[in-house]
Amino acid sequence: LLRSGTGPVAIDAERASGHRYGQRAYLVQLRREGAGTWLVDPILCPDLTPIADALDGVEWVLHAATQDLPCLAEVGLRPSALFDTELAGRLVGLSRVGLGAAVEHYLGLSLAKEHSAVDWSRRPLPEPWLRYAALDVEVLVQLRDAIEADLRTQDKWEWARQEFDALLSFAGPPVRTDPWRRTSGMHRIRRRRTLAIVRELWLARDALAQRRDISPGRVLPDSAIIALATDPPKDAAVFSEVRELKPAQRSARVWLAAIQAAMALPESALPPLTLPSTGPPPPRVWPERDPEAAARLAVARTALAEYAATRHVPVENLVSPDAVRRILWTPPGDGSAAAISEALRGLGARPWQVEIVTPMLVEACHPSE
């Protein structure tokens, strides 16, 4: 049926973020003209390659594709062409790009979002949840067509096409170095030994969450990790005495073992308070560290902001702010158009971005007399 349908296919996936470990899909929704709406359980059917085969060469329509592409790939679904309605909404200048806001803007419809944060790993899924999931793909193709019309009117269709092509190879966000450093409340940590306790608690929590298939925050909140690290308990009694730690009482021995492991580390094995930077310093210190680089950045930021305002597109969609900082902190070669264009391409900029941004960065490096 999917193969015999016509036009693009709307596709969405529901995860159980905040409930389960990881980002696997627990429901996949598809809708195609002539084929109707499909709700597929990837837990009972973990290999959806036959669906992918039926859709070979068919354009996918997704909203916020980077959220769903990795979990869809895990069950064998990979697009050969796609249209991302959220990204397209940014390019046409929508002030709000959530699915509900975009549908209301273009189609005048209101989407109910009351089940957006439910536990989609629950079985059986309640009928109201299934209806809600089906509605997420009901009008996605109509939304796609309406936004495409605006892209073409604003002469941005080529921008969008290049962005969509780039998404076809998206496999998920880059793996972070020391992901435990993103524990909420890390700004309070001032000593390497305390940092080591945070690390050991985070790693113990992650292992336990994966084994139980529970969201790490439900096993031990970040606030509890920081509390345990800044005032390490000597026995399990504290877990019943401190309200913040009571939910962690069940695994008190695990947390105590992690703390003890960190306390036993020699000084040489303690993690550094900060990781060495692989890029330029924060812009706020540029005026002091390198006034010429700060001047280049100011010129570029002004030009980018003016262009973005004129074309009604967010600056960050014109070019990655990190790419701008890297190029202007240490301009490549002689700061020529060729050198800057090559640098932008090396940092992941698409051809349309290179064409627009290169002259601005060249001017920043060689301001007109």
Side-chain angles (χ1 to χ4, degrees):
L1 282 175
L2 281 172
R3 183 179 282 112
S4 63
T6 59
V9 60
I11 186 166
D12 189 23
E14 304 294 349
R15 299 175 301 280
S17 304
H19 299 275
R20 295 288 185 175
Y21 186 87
Q23 295 295 318
R24 70 183 300 185
Y26 286 93
L27 185 69
V28 175
Q29 309 101 280
L30 306 103
R31 180 175 177 79
R32 192 180 188 201
E33 186 68 27
T37 299
W38 296 50
L39 301 180
V40 183
D41 185 345
I43 305 305
L44 291 177
C45 306
D47 182 8
L48 302 184
T49 303
I51 291 178
D53 293 342
L55 296 173
D56 185 41
V58 175
E59 179 188 85
W60 288 18
V61 183
L62 306 99
H63 191 83
T66 55
Q67 295 183 19
D68 291 337
L69 287 173
C71 68
L72 291 170
E74 287 180 358
V75 295
L77 292 175
R78 295 175 178 82
S80 55
L82 67 81
F83 187 109
D84 184 339
T85 51
E86 183 198 50
L87 177 53
R90 294 183 188 280
L91 293 178
V92 298
L94 292 186
S95 59
R96 297 185 300 145
V97 295
L99 180 58
V103 167
E104 184 174 357
H105 175 84
Y106 279 104
L107 306 178
L109 302 174
S110 296
L111 291 181
K113 303 302 291 182
E114 69 269 23
H115 301 307
S116 59
V118 299
D119 182 4
W120 290 97
S121 68
R122 174 178 166 181
R123 292 297 183 273
L125 287 170
E127 185 177 339
W129 296 13
L130 295 174
R131 286 198 299 269
Y132 160 87
L135 288 173
D136 268 358
V137 292
E138 181 77 17
V139 295
L140 207 51
V141 172
Q142 292 98 302
L143 176 62
R144 172 235 181 274
D145 293 343
I147 301 181
E148 181 187 345
D150 266 1
L151 287 168
R152 293 187 181 277
T153 298
Q154 297 178 19
D155 196 24
K156 296 175 181 176
W157 174 246
E158 180 59 22
W159 298 6
R161 188 192 64 78
Q162 292 181 26
E163 292 297 310
F164 300 157
D165 285 349
L167 283 174
L168 294 175
S169 59
F170 181 79
V175 177
R176 294 185 178 277
T177 301
D178 292 353
W180 52 269
R181 289 182 182 272
R182 292 183 63 80
T183 303
S184 180
M186 286 287 282
H187 62 281
R188 295 166 49 191
I189 305 302
R190 297 286 185 269
R191 298 174 59 248
R192 292 174 64 203
R193 181 73 60 185
T194 309
L195 196 65
I197 298 175
V198 171
R199 179 183 64 185
E200 297 304 317
L201 286 169
W202 191 97
L203 293 172
R205 178 184 70 174
D206 193 66
L208 193 57
Q210 187 171 13
R211 188 162 63 248
R212 293 180 182 172
D213 191 17
I214 301 174
S215 171
R218 289 177 175 260
V219 174
L220 187 69
D222 280 7
S223 59
I225 288 181
I226 299 300
L228 289 169
T230 53
D231 187 16
K234 293 182 172 52
D235 55 52
V238 70
F239 290 91
S240 59
E241 297 169 355
V242 179
R243 184 179 63 180
E244 187 178 35
L245 299 178
K246 284 183 179 180
Q249 188 173 3
R250 171 185 174 187
S251 303
R253 285 184 297 178
V254 173
W255 316 131
L256 289 173
I259 292 170
Q260 291 165 4
M263 297 298 287
L265 289 172
E267 287 289 326
S268 59
L270 296 178
L273 284 174
T274 58
L275 291 175
S277 174
T278 58
R284 67 177 181 276
V285 305
W286 285 30
E288 179 180 349
R289 296 272 297 274
D290 189 337
E292 291 185 2
R296 290 193 292 267
L297 184 62
V299 170
R301 281 179 164 175
T302 298
L304 287 166
E306 290 176 352
Y307 187 92
T310 301
R311 295 304 307 273
H312 305 290
V313 62
V315 171
E316 59 270 20
N317 285 107
L318 284 178
V319 63
S320 160
D322 179 67
V324 172
R325 290 192 293 267
R326 287 176 182 273
I327 290 172
L328 296 183
W329 179 251
T330 308
D334 56 356
S336 66
I340 287 176
S341 293
E342 183 179 356
L344 283 168
R345 286 191 291 269
L347 292 168
R350 265 69 71 192
W352 73 271
Q353 296 172 313
V354 174
E355 180 182 358
I356 292 170
V357 174
T358 294
M360 302 181 196
L361 300 191
V362 170
E363 176 64 22
C365 291
H366 304 286
S368 302
E369 297 296 334

